[in-house]
Amino acid sequence: MKMGSSSDKKFATLALDTSTAMLAVAITRGGEIVGRSQSLAERNHSVYVSSRMKELMEECAVPAADIGIVAVGQGPGSYTGVRIAVTAAKTLAWIWGKPLVGVSSLEAMAYGFWRERLATASAARADAGKVWIVPLMDARRGQAYCACFSAAADGEWRREEADGIRLFENWFESLEERLAADPGQTPREIWFLSETGELTAKLLGGEGRIAVASQGASASAVRSVCREAAWLLDAAAVGLLAERRFLRGEADDVHGFAPNYTQLTEAEAKLNAARTESAR
Amino acid sequence: MNSPYHILAIETSCDETSVAVVKNGTEVLSNVVSSQIDTHRRFGGVVPEIASRKHVESITVILEEALAEAGVGPDRIDAVAVTQGPGLVGALLVGVVAAKSLALALDVPLIGTHHIAGHIYANRLIGEIRYPALALVVSGGHTELVLLEAEGRFRIVGRTRDDAVGEAYDKVARALSLPYPGGPHVDRMAQEAEDAIELPRAWLEPDSYDFSFSGLKSAVLAEINRANMKGEPIRAHALARGFQESVIDVVTTKAMRAAREFGASQLLLCGGVAANKGIRARLTELCAEAALPLLVPPLKLCTDNAAMIAAAADLKWRCGQFDTLDLKAEAQLSLEQWSVGAATMD
Ligand SMILES: [Zn+2]
């Protein structure tokens, strides 16, 4: 397997993500975005995914021979959706004999927002402090696929919470508790990202903004730092995060790679419940 | 076309992940099948979401095995074929996306293929097909009589109005508390039985080639209920035999009548239920009496496999009918419209 370095002209990353309503394809190289294609194509990702990649490679004049790694959003998100990108990425990485690098789709959502909306301004501030970014994908019944990341002014990017499907109301409370426990570490801002920018209100029972839901001793502190934004997942962020992983010496096993669904299928969950029940 | 060519085919329409490499349309170089049956057995049937998940986990492993077994490098693949439908849409998607990725990477034509055309053309892998031919397709999801007036031209003359044969077998097996999949158990018990409980036959309208198995299934359930109410033991063997006799009687009689009416020069038996010993035996007998040649693929080509998909795709390869990278998986793909040349004629 031939691997390039980040300065190698041929070290391009082909990145894709179909975990959300966005069919996202991008090419990155050495920390830069070479090209990207974003389109809202709900339930049609499987139709266009291959031709979109082909078009983008042609537009960017990046032939297959120049692709050094295949990067993919591993989910969580729509089960069917995430399978499409993962299947395409696995097959391409396998047939091209190139490394496959999976990236959390939630992290890509958060990282894209940070990079394009906050990073420049943060770096310019003397008092910058940390920013927390909470990407959200609606998983129905009050649940959301979510995680939490922090970004420091110097660009240090860290995961604060694992990807998971959570009852948002409980999770929001636990975030509050965490802030209350250590008031000195309250981030400068906490950004809640979703497709519409209004998901937190819906998840918190629809009565309103994050600020209304915040109660207790830390309420005002939390209130003052919470923000919401509409943000759509972008495959360029998948590519950039994958490059960073790869430079750390990480890649995934192509054959064993599978989507991160974050939960069992309904049938498995029921079977497990029935077994637990009968074991009692 | 004189130079050798290789079609790589992918089949993921239900619970089998399969990849095959077929040379010159009929020479099977590899046909790797990874069955998920052990996974689904725990649930008493195929769980679509789990099937889709398993396909993603296996796809590149099976691709690699199929190429290695065939001893053919990726650079010698001339076309990629894939089951486009019918089937479980989430399962089909995995194969379709993998096939499109391969067609893109190898820059070769893509051929979306009909699953039932695959079952029928599995017969092409074992012998010549003479037209007009009549195909009896019996599987877990299908029960059809298909007339082939010429190569690659499909006309459905009869189909089930409710359950597929394989489905009826599985439901009866469940009622008799047999493990999943139940078809082979019912077949075995019917062979072992000393007598049969007579069950009704659904002939439908006198000239119809359609099938219906829901009434038969209800009759089995009614007999089980009756025995339970009276506190009698359930005569499972006799019931299995009665059920199987009814199915075989209707299916083979209609197939023979259609073969006569349409002047078929050959009868093709195909689909997973073609493994059923009872059906095979009766059809062999009837075809011998009628001096009608019968083709039945060996078991591993009857159940879902990718070699049969390559065999059907070969029809389109030879006339250059290819699909674009925007091929869409279709859970309800029509067989007749998939006919060779149909798109240009419509
Ligand atoms: Zn089948």
Side-chain angles (χ1 to χ4, degrees), chain A residues 46-47 51 83 90 94 255, chain B residues 49 56 60 64 93 100 326:
Chain A
S46 73
V47 178
S51 48
R83 273 196 284 273
K90 279 179 73 151
W94 170 73
H255 290 328
Chain B
E49 173 62 22
V56 180
T60 57
E64 190 163 294
L93 277 177
K100 296 205 289 192
D326 292 347

Side-chain angles (χ1 to χ4, degrees), chain B residues 115 119 139 304 308:
Chain B
H115 184 78
H119 275 304
S139 74
D304 290 355
M308 72 183 200

Side-chain angles (χ1 to χ4, degrees), chain A residues 68-107:
Chain A
I69 54 183
V70 179
V72 65
Q74 191 174 6
S78 146
Y79 292 172
T80 302
V82 73
R83 273 196 284 273
I84 290 165
V86 168
T87 302
K90 279 179 73 151
T91 310
L92 288 173
W94 170 73
I95 193 77
W96 282 337
K98 294 292 157 66
L100 173 69
V101 181
V103 166
S104 152
S105 298
L106 286 169
E107 183 169 2

Side-chain angles (χ1 to χ4, degrees), chain A residues 59 73 129 135 280:
Chain A
E59 267 170 48
R280 270 190 202 133

Side-chain angles (χ1 to χ4, degrees), chain A residues 272-280:
Chain A
N272 288 350
R275 279 182 182 163
T276 316
E277 193 62 35
S278 65
R280 270 190 202 133

Side-chain angles (χ1 to χ4, degrees), chain B residues 11 13-14 86 115-116 119 137 139-142 271-272 302-305 308:
Chain B
E11 149 67 35
S13 68
C14 189
H115 184 78
I116 297 303
H119 275 304
V137 186
S139 74
H142 299 272
C302 283
T303 50
D304 290 355
N305 69 91
M308 72 183 200

